[in-house]
Amino acid sequence: MSQSVLRVLFCSAGRRAGLVERFRAAAERLDVGLEILACDMIPEQSAACLLADKSFRVPRCNDAGYPDSVLSIVREHGVDLVVPTIDPELLPLSRAAEDFAALGARLHVSPESVIEVVRDKLRTSEVLAAAGVPVPDSADHAALLANPEALGWPVFAKPGGGSSSRGLQVFQRIEEVPERFPEPMVFQKLLQGDEYTVNMFVDASGALRTVVPHMRVQVRAGEVEKGRTVRRDDLHQIAEGIVRALPELRGVACFQVLDDPALGPRVIEINARFGGGYPLADEAGATFAQWLLEEVSGRICGAHDDWRPGVWMVRYDSAVYQG
């Protein structure tokens, strides 16, 4: 059933001002009212919270009470769609999916079975490889120490559950690798070549509707600062493989690819959420925000793959003021 006003809650809203703007534009195109709610640990210091119609303070997303705090906002304000924006909150929210559904809210998170895979980078590599998706050879710490030549050198190391480019390291030889780390690490052969983010939209029935790659021309703090949309059949085929490997994946997701000159494209991670570079895909015509609003409001989802290649995004710093 369609409705005249939709209420969308952005979690861990932080700096996602661009995402808020894309949802507002989508609602205007659909001619529906939209109320934007946002929550963060310190909402008065969040640009997206300041741009929202209402904002709320919540605990850190790894706090045991975090899902209940989000549920409370949904219950009290009649939220229709909940949109998480960072990786660490996906698993705790997915475990409360039935509670959100009972309140009549669409939680934009894939099932727990999917999140458990994509939040573990070693398991991601194993699951994708088993489905024939090209990934770099990977090993955990114990396996690397037991067989130092298994991957070749140098190796790239990253936290198994990390995000936002945290804790990345490169080691040139086994003697440089510490005997222990503060958290589980994944090691991979160091790849070269251009890096791509591939945005994808899987509709409510599980059909892959859109695949939009963009080249990450310049990156800052793990997010694309300069990028350009490109059409590549091989990256579309990789997206199809990811959906086969993770058949319960739903909604918006993105994955990172390194196009190694010797090996070809290799998937290095998956984010089962809106990526930071999503506004570029939206500008190119892949309006994921609108398609989600269509699904939530009971309209026919207009998802398509007719977006424009060659669209550039060059980001700059802006500000939101209060007081």
Side-chain angles (χ1 to χ4, degrees):
M1 177 184 296
S2 62
Q3 56 192 87
S4 58
V5 178
L6 292 172
R7 293 180 178 85
V8 179
L9 171 64
F10 294 96
C11 301
S12 302
R15 301 173 59 195
R16 292 301 192 96
L19 186 59
V20 169
E21 291 169 354
R22 295 291 162 165
F23 269 82
R24 289 199 193 279
E28 186 173 345
R29 289 192 300 270
L30 293 174
D31 194 26
V32 298
L34 181 69
E35 185 175 23
I36 297 285
L37 292 75
C39 61
D40 212 309
M41 289 176 57
I42 312 177
E44 62 271 22
Q45 295 181 19
S46 159
C49 284
L50 293 176
L51 292 172
D53 298 303
K54 297 177 182 176
S55 63
F56 307 89
R57 184 180 301 272
V58 293
R60 187 180 296 274
C61 64
N62 59 4
D63 186 287
Y66 179 71
D68 283 341
S69 68
V70 178
L71 281 163
S72 233
I73 298 169
V74 170
R75 183 182 302 108
E76 292 173 17
H77 297 273
V79 172
D80 301 292
L81 174 64
V82 180
V83 182
T85 64
I86 61 174
D87 291 324
E89 65 185 343
L90 298 181
L91 194 54
L93 290 177
S94 71
R95 289 170 175 163
E98 291 184 359
D99 297 324
F100 284 97
L103 294 175
R106 162 83 179 268
L107 175 65
H108 181 245
V109 179
S110 291
E112 184 178 349
S113 59
V114 173
I115 304 305
E116 286 180 337
V117 172
V118 301
R119 288 293 293 134
D120 182 332
K121 290 181 169 55
L122 183 59
R123 191 172 172 194
T124 297
S125 182
E126 293 169 345
V127 168
L128 295 186
V133 177
V135 293
D137 292 338
S138 304
D140 62 15
H141 190 210
L144 181 69
L145 294 180
N147 187 1
E149 302 306 319
L151 303 178
W153 296 91
V155 299
F156 179 71
K158 55 188 177 183
S163 61
S164 302
S165 298
R166 177 183 59 80
L168 308 183
Q169 301 178 68
V170 175
F171 299 105
Q172 300 295 329
R173 56 187 187 276
I174 189 63
E175 290 78 13
E176 296 179 3
V177 178
E179 292 186 1
R180 55 183 57 87
F181 289 87
E183 60 186 317
M185 300 290 286
V186 176
F187 299 84
Q188 298 172 332
K189 171 69 175 175
L190 182 65
L191 302 177
Q192 306 295 331
D194 293 328
E195 186 175 357
Y196 294 82
T197 292
V198 184
N199 291 279
M200 52 197 290
F201 185 85
V202 180
D203 70 19
S205 71
L208 176 63
R209 302 285 293 273
T210 314
V211 179
V212 188
H214 67 252
M215 182 183 292
R216 291 161 64 91
V217 177
Q218 186 170 312
V219 178
R220 179 173 64 170
E223 287 196 358
V224 61
E225 186 173 51
K226 299 177 183 179
R228 174 173 54 87
T229 57
V230 296
R231 280 198 180 273
R232 286 187 48 166
D233 290 342
D234 55 348
L235 299 183
H236 197 291
Q237 291 168 7
I238 288 174
E240 292 172 349
I242 289 174
V243 173
R244 288 194 301 271
L246 300 169
E248 292 185 291
L249 182 68
R250 293 292 184 274
V252 179
C254 62
F255 60 94
Q256 310 297 327
V257 170
L258 272 171
D259 191 7
D260 189 271
L263 300 174
R266 294 291 184 270
V267 177
I268 55 176
E269 69 175 71
I270 302 174
N271 303 115
R273 54 170 173 78
F274 277 95
Y278 161 69
L280 174 53
D282 189 293
E283 181 66 24
T287 54
F288 295 0
Q290 178 174 325
W291 303 338
L292 274 180
L293 292 181
E294 287 170 343
E295 288 187 342
V296 169
S297 62
R299 303 182 183 211
I300 295 174
C301 177
H304 58 79
D305 204 37
D306 186 23
W307 49 271
R308 303 189 311 281
V311 177
W312 276 87
M313 177 176 69
V314 180
R315 279 178 158 160
Y316 66 97
D317 292 328
S318 187
V320 178
Y321 303 95
Q322 66 168 341

